[in-house]
Amino acid sequence: MKISARNVIPGTIVEIKKGATTSHVRLDVGGTVITSSITNEAVEELKLAVGTKASAVIKASDVMIAVA
């Protein structure tokens, strides 16, 4: 796979919660879990399942940090 995004974080899928049209996919990346909302169609096309190795690809023009 070649991609222009530079923030590619490998991990393992630990949970997939399917809704009517969108799934929430939870990816464990070394003890931290990243959640992504993607279409159910994408879950099927990518053949995602719990235990599957996958990567979070983050492409954003701004990333904000906040503290309380």
Side-chain angles (χ1 to χ4, degrees), residues 32-64:
T32 298
V33 176
I34 296 174
T35 302
S36 176
S37 297
I38 63 174
T39 65
N40 291 338
E41 183 179 354
V43 170
E44 292 171 18
E45 286 179 9
L46 295 171
K47 298 180 179 154
L48 301 182
V50 171
T52 301
K53 299 288 184 190
S55 294
V57 180
I58 301 168
K59 179 82 174 176
S61 58
D62 296 304
V63 175
M64 293 186 267

Side-chain angles (χ1 to χ4, degrees), residues 6-54:
R6 295 295 173 236
N7 300 308
V8 180
I9 305 167
T12 304
I13 296 173
V14 293
E15 183 178 33
I16 299 172
K17 287 188 178 179
K18 283 192 174 184
T21 59
T22 304
S23 292
H24 292 133
V25 180
R26 294 172 47 90
L27 187 72
D28 182 320
V29 293
T32 298
V33 176
I34 296 174
T35 302
S36 176
S37 297
I38 63 174
T39 65
N40 291 338
E41 183 179 354
V43 170
E44 292 171 18
E45 286 179 9
L46 295 171
K47 298 180 179 154
L48 301 182
V50 171
T52 301
K53 299 288 184 190

